[in-house]
Structure formats: structure tokens, C-alpha cells
Amino acid sequence: MTPTATDDVSAMPEPSKQKLPAIEAAPASPGHRSPQRASDSEVVSPKLPDYLVEKTGSAEAPSTEVFAVYGVEPEIQAYAMAKYSRSALSMKESLREISAQKAEKFLNTFYFQYGHRSIADLAHIALAVERLSILAAIELADEQRWDGQERSTRYQDFKKSGYYTPDFGADHEARKLYRDTLDFLFVEYESLSAHMTQHLVNITPRPADMKQEAYERTLKARAFDITRYLLPLATNTSLGEIVNARTLETQVAHLLSHTHKEVRVLGESLKKAATSPAYNVNAESLKKLVEEIRAANPELGARAGQELLHEVRVAPTLVKYADPNPYEIETRRELRQAARELMAHEQLAPSKAIVDLLDEEPLEVEIATTLLYEHCHFSYRQIRQAVQVAGERRRREIIDLALRHRGKHDEMLRGFRAGQQFRFDILMDTGGFRDMHRHRRCIQVMQGFTTQHGYEMLLDVEDAGMRLRFEAAMGYVQTAVEKLAARKSPEAEENSQYAIPLAFKKRALFKMDFAEAVYISELRTTPAGHVSYRNVAYAMYEAVARKYPALAKYFRVHDVTAPVDLLQR
């Protein structure tokens, strides 16, 4: 706590009356010292020795050199960066002497044997992932140290994207029900998109200064914002990510340990992409150049081919040992069982609000509650009440379960990232959650996909006269999802989740500091945003304002109840 200021002032010491000796002037020539002293009004700077002036070039010139590095393979770059710690060589000198073989040997020794994990933070890798389901994309991006971009349901028409079909084995009836359900959803998506676009055109005149193309594009995007609720989690999407090698290794291990087969296969694909030859955008033009050189000079052409056409593997060493994580797999199984046992006699309580700013509690209670939260569909408050009733011994058993299988190099589970001041239990539609999921400066704990919390429908659908059709579609799909989940085939429940539309709600726990609460509330309430996350962000602001009224004035939020100009982006 900051000490309270008083009127007592500590006196500064009086300057010494003793006259300090003046700095002698630099010698006029080597071996000669001038007997003259500097006067009180003169300030004479010491002269640098000649050998230092020669070394630096000038006593006045800055010695710091800054340059960007381009064209270096990620693992070689990581090795060169790491050498700063143990070598006096410059970056340019290090890069000239390092080979791929040297980098592999170094990384095998220091990264894998000695455990210097931060070395992999220095190797950055760009990966493209195409034709994966929205469900898999959510799981892939569920990494705090992740940077990427996914296809937008606002700016792109997904009617021809296709969808992922899980492996139903010999259960042909389930496969047919699944495909019929998804085909139905895409027909409804296409129909509602056309209907909503026309509805918005009818109620929104084009301004005279707005081009027809921009007008149609803007309203079509608004229509897609509404109709995305019909898109199932199986919808094919694409994304790009840029991650460091340590994050990629963690990401691959997590995906390989997942409950869904598609996600496990995705983990294998990421690992293969990192250790196999990378796509070279200049390959074709370089091949032609090498052929021209070879035609003029075969010997020079051979050398050019070796230099310009050699295959590059972005992380052949750092990711090769990424495997399924026993700690994650075994702990998930045991915590799921613990959640089932603890909540066996509880019913899902209807949610009173989309955002619940949680009260403070003992750290043990928070950790135990959070560890169980992602393994069921109950609210945080319901789980916390059960944890508190179960007593201290049971709480510690839950925490012990979450650490029992932890290996030497395993990070603690996300449930242990506790102690934040602002913790929001949020219940929102899955489409809106995908937007909120992008916020990396906070801890997010997701629950699984379900139809148990019902679905969201925008008022625009009712205004366009499509409410009954939308509700009928949601009812039909919910019944199909429940039938698919009840099948006896392997991973039946996991497979059924792909048929869930983005309209259905899911829970997620967001933990953050005050600055992030302000940032999300301000960014996500802007009129150009989707109404789903605008309402959530404003509810976050209102919750903080009620609990800390003196801090409310520092939020620069937009009023979500104010009318929105549909043509403003």
C-alpha cells in the first residue's frame, strides 16, 4: 500500500564547501602534461585514448548497430539468436558460420537434453491451415501465445465451403442423419442470406454519395452477420498462424491429445508441415532462372540450383518430438469423472445474465472450481457452491488429481492460472464467442459445445418475418444432435457436436486485469461490431461499474441500445 504523504520534509544535505579538484586538461602531446589548471568557469572533458577513437571511428559517433534479418531458416535463426548468450560473435558472423547440421546438433543438446526451452521462442513459423472445420479451428486457436487470422463469416459467403464429416464407422444410419442435417442447414443458410439481404435493402436506402457496389457489399455483410447463426461447427474454414516453435510444439501435443479425431489428425498435419519441405512462393520463378543460368553455364547453373532450390524445413528439430501428452489425457479423464460425481444431483440452473462478474474467494476454491469448470456445462457459481459444500479435503483431492500425472516438462493446466481480479463467466452464442476468443491478453477456459443452453436469435430475423422458420430449423437440428450423441458408435458425442449451429450458446470463463476489461469493453461495443459480442462487452462494463462505481468513468464504451447505421462499417 502506498504510504500516506505528510508535511514532514526531509532536508537535503548542504553542498560541501570544500573545493573539488579541477579535471586536468588533456595532454597536448604524448608524454607531455600541461601544468595549467582549469578555471572554475571552464569545463574540460577528458579525451578518449587514441586506440578507442580508432576503434569506434569517432568519439561522437553512435556505436549501436540495428539491422533486420531476412532469408534465414527459423531454426538457424534461433541458434544464431541463442549464441548471443554464450558468444561474442555478431549476428552476421554467427549466421555466416552456422549450417543446418550445426543448428540441429545445438538444438538437440540444449533444447531437448538441457531443457533450455526459451530457445524455441526465437524460431518463428508461418503455417496455412485450409479446409478444417470451425470446431477444429476454435481448438487450434485456443492458445494464449497464438497469432493468426481466420476466414470471416461476415465478409465471405460460406454456402459453397462444404463441411467436415466425422468417421461414423459402420453406423450408416448416423452418417445419413448427420449429412441430412448439415445439408438442411446449408440450404437454410443460403435461403436466409438471400432473404435477409433483400430485407436490409428494403429498409436501408442507398445514400446518393455511396456507390452501388459498396452499398450491396455492406448490406450483404450485415446479412451474413445474421445468417451465420445457421452455420454448423462442421463448416469448412481456413486460417493462417504465425507462432514460435515452442508454442507450435505445445499446440501440436495438445491437438494430438484431443477428444476429437479430426483435431488429432490436424495435430499430425501441423507436425508434418513443420518437419517437411515448406511451400516456396518463388519456386517456379527460381526454377526458370536456374534453367536459364544452366543453359548459359552448366557449372554455374548447378551451383545456382543448390543455392536457390534447396528444400527448407521450418522446424525439423524443434517439433519432431511433439507427441500426445499423457498428462493432459489422463487428467482430463479423471477430472471429467470428478465433475460428474460432484454435480451428479445438480440440474443446470437457468442463467440470469449473459455475463457474471464473479466474487472473490479463497485461491484453493477458485483453482478447484476452474479445474472442473471446463469438464461440464454448469455455471461457475453452481460448481463453486458444490466445491465449497464438499469441504476442504475434497477440494484438495481435486487439485491433487490435476497434478498427479504431471511430467517433468509439463506446464500446469490452464485451470491453475488463477488469482486475477476480474473473472467473468460468460454464456453466449458460439458465433460471438469466436470473436471474443481472439483476446489473448486474458485467461480463457472453455466449456464444450452443447445444445443444453438453448440458442440465440437476432431480432432482425423476426423483423424479416423469418422467426418461425428459424425456430423450426433450430428445433429440428437440436433433435438430430441429441440422436447422434445417443448412438453407440465410438466418439458419438464428439461427432454430434459438428452438427451444432453457431446460434447455440456455450460457456467460457474469462480472467483478466482491469486494463483488459476496459480494452474489451471499449473495442467490442463499437457500432461496427456484431450485436452478439457488443451486448457481452457492454454487460462486462456494467458489471464492473456496479462493483467499482468509481472506475466506471474510465471506460469509453458505446451505448449498445443506440440505433446503428447499417451502412457504417
Side-chain angles (χ1 to χ4, degrees):
M1 185 171 179
T2 305
T4 305
T6 68
D7 292 333
D8 294 332
V9 179
S10 300
M12 294 296 290
E14 290 291 333
S16 172
K17 303 297 185 182
Q18 183 179 356
K19 191 172 181 180
L20 296 175
I23 299 175
E24 294 181 348
S29 61
H32 173 74
R33 182 187 295 274
S34 171
Q36 182 182 3
R37 285 188 174 276
S39 67
D40 290 342
S41 61
E42 292 176 330
V43 178
V44 181
S45 300
K47 183 180 179 182
L48 285 174
D50 290 341
Y51 73 91
L52 282 180
V53 175
E54 292 170 3
K55 180 88 173 173
T56 60
S58 168
E60 301 292 331
S63 60
T64 302
E65 182 180 9
V66 180
F67 55 92
V69 179
Y70 170 77
V72 185
E73 296 173 23
E75 289 194 352
I76 292 177
Q77 182 66 79
Y79 181 18
M81 292 280 189
K83 287 192 72 173
Y84 272 136
S85 172
R86 308 293 177 91
S87 169
L89 292 177
S90 72
M91 175 61 66
K92 294 175 183 177
E93 291 169 332
S94 291
L95 289 172
R96 279 196 291 266
E97 74 159 21
I98 293 174
S99 65
Q101 291 76 18
K102 284 185 177 180
E104 181 180 7
K105 182 179 179 181
F106 171 83
L107 295 172
N108 276 326
T109 301
F110 285 88
Y111 184 73
F112 293 110
Q113 293 182 27
Y114 297 164
H116 296 314
R117 313 295 283 178
S118 62
I119 295 171
D121 294 343
L122 305 172
H124 284 75
I125 300 159
L127 292 161
V129 186
E130 300 178 349
R131 292 181 301 282
L132 74 164
S133 71
I134 289 178
L135 185 151
I138 291 173
E139 297 297 336
L140 185 148
D142 189 37
E143 165 57 57
Q144 194 172 17
R145 296 163 294 197
W146 187 84
D147 292 302
Q149 193 67 257
E150 186 184 346
R151 283 185 67 193
S152 170
T153 54
R154 166 178 285 185
Y155 299 112
Q156 297 191 45
D157 188 347
F158 276 71
K159 66 183 179 183
K160 296 181 180 179
S161 297
Y163 57 81
Y164 171 77
T165 300
D167 181 8
F168 289 97
D171 193 346
H172 304 296
E173 184 178 344
R175 183 182 296 104
K176 183 179 186 306
L177 174 59
Y178 176 85
R179 287 181 172 170
D180 288 347
T181 303
L182 268 70
D183 290 341
F184 165 77
L185 280 172
F186 275 95
V187 168
E188 291 296 287
Y189 169 78
E190 183 175 3
S191 175
L192 185 61
S193 294
H195 187 91
M196 290 307 307
T197 300
Q198 187 58 51
H199 169 71
L200 296 178
V201 167
N202 293 341
I203 65 172
T204 313
R206 180 175 67 85
D209 60 346
M210 190 176 195
K211 293 182 178 180
Q212 182 68 24
E213 182 183 356
Y215 171 74
E216 293 177 358
R217 183 175 62 249
T218 301
L219 290 186
K220 188 173 290 186
R222 289 288 187 182
F224 286 152
D225 265 354
I226 299 166
T227 59
R228 78 177 188 184
Y229 281 84
L230 286 162
L231 290 173
L233 285 166
T235 305
N236 285 335
T237 185
S238 298
L239 59 80
E241 68 172 23
I242 298 177
V243 293
N244 64 55
R246 176 156 56 160
T247 298
L248 180 60
E249 182 188 30
T250 302
Q251 183 185 52
V252 168
H254 169 67
L255 298 177
L256 292 174
S257 310
H258 205 269
T259 53
H260 293 62
K261 183 177 179 180
E262 182 205 10
V263 180
R264 296 194 296 272
V265 172
L266 176 60
E268 291 286 358
S269 298
L270 283 175
K271 182 177 179 178
K272 182 179 179 181
T275 55
S276 301
Y279 169 71
N280 184 352
V281 67
N282 298 312
E284 290 303 318
S285 60
L286 289 175
K287 282 180 183 178
K288 292 179 181 178
L289 176 61
V290 169
E291 289 171 2
E292 291 174 9
I293 296 172
R294 185 176 287 117
N297 187 325
E299 183 179 350
L300 186 59
R303 286 177 54 199
Q306 292 176 353
E307 292 291 330
L308 300 177
L309 301 179
H310 73 282
E311 294 179 337
V312 173
R313 293 168 170 79
V314 293
T317 309
L318 292 172
V319 183
K320 66 182 178 182
Y321 295 122
D323 293 313
N325 188 339
Y327 172 45
E328 182 175 344
I329 295 170
E330 292 303 317
T331 305
R332 178 176 59 231
R333 179 179 58 81
E334 294 183 1
L335 286 178
R336 279 187 170 184
Q337 180 62 29
R340 279 194 294 267
E341 292 174 358
L342 186 68
M343 309 301 291
H345 304 295
E346 299 290 333
Q347 297 294 323
L348 280 181
S351 180
K352 298 178 181 179
I354 57 175
V355 171
D356 183 10
L357 177 57
L358 301 165
D359 305 318
E360 295 180 15
E361 71 234 329
L363 188 59
E364 266 191 16
V365 173
E366 180 188 347
I367 291 174
T369 304
T370 306
L371 287 169
L372 298 181
Y373 178 89
E374 68 175 297
H375 299 294
C376 59
H377 297 294
F378 293 94
S379 71
Y380 185 94
R381 288 186 183 271
Q382 275 193 278
I383 303 168
R384 181 175 64 186
Q385 183 177 8
V387 165
Q388 289 173 323
V389 170
E392 182 179 348
R393 180 178 176 180
R394 184 57 179 144
R395 288 198 296 273
R396 292 186 176 177
E397 287 176 353
I398 292 168
I399 294 173
D400 288 343
L401 278 179
L403 293 172
R404 179 181 299 169
H405 302 286
R406 186 182 177 211
K408 180 180 178 180
H409 298 296
D410 290 321
E411 292 185 9
M412 281 187 165
L413 298 174
R414 195 174 299 181
F416 285 99
R417 299 181 187 178
Q420 293 79 5
Q421 181 75 18
F422 295 89
R423 297 169 300 129
F424 301 91
D425 186 9
I426 297 176
L427 178 63
M428 67 185 304
D429 64 90
T430 305
F433 168 76
R434 290 174 69 234
D435 296 307
M436 294 290 289
H437 194 209
R438 297 172 188 165
H439 292 280
R440 306 291 168 195
R441 208 173 64 187
C442 58
I443 304 300
Q444 299 182 27
V445 181
M446 298 191 302
Q447 290 189 350
F449 303 102
T450 182
T451 59
Q452 295 183 49
H453 299 302
Y455 57 86
E456 197 75 60
M457 185 192 72
L458 297 185
L459 293 177
D460 304 80
V461 174
E462 185 170 1
D463 293 342
M466 300 292 284
R467 175 174 181 167
L468 293 179
R469 183 170 176 176
F470 184 88
E471 290 178 340
M474 293 298 107
Y476 168 76
V477 173
Q478 183 168 358
T479 300
V481 169
E482 291 169 356
K483 288 181 179 179
L484 288 168
R487 305 294 295 184
K488 302 302 181 184
S489 55
E491 297 188 16
E493 183 177 354
E494 288 79 7
N495 291 345
S496 72
Q497 293 172 2
Y498 285 99
I500 299 175
L502 299 183
F504 280 90
K505 302 175 187 176
K506 75 188 299 292
R507 284 195 178 278
L509 185 63
F510 285 71
K511 302 182 179 186
M512 64 193 72
D513 57 23
F514 176 68
E516 184 67 0
V518 172
Y519 174 75
I520 292 176
S521 298
E522 291 181 350
L523 177 69
R524 294 300 182 183
T525 56
T526 56
H530 193 284
V531 63
S532 172
Y533 61 70
R534 291 190 72 210
N535 289 335
V536 168
Y538 197 77
M540 290 172 64
Y541 154 71
E542 290 181 315
V544 175
R546 283 192 299 269
K547 191 171 184 178
Y548 305 98
L551 297 177
K553 63 183 180 181
Y554 300 115
F555 286 75
R556 297 179 296 192
V557 295
H558 292 77
D559 183 2
V560 297
T561 62
V564 173
D565 183 352
L566 295 179
L567 297 177
Q568 284 292 328
R569 307 304 296 162

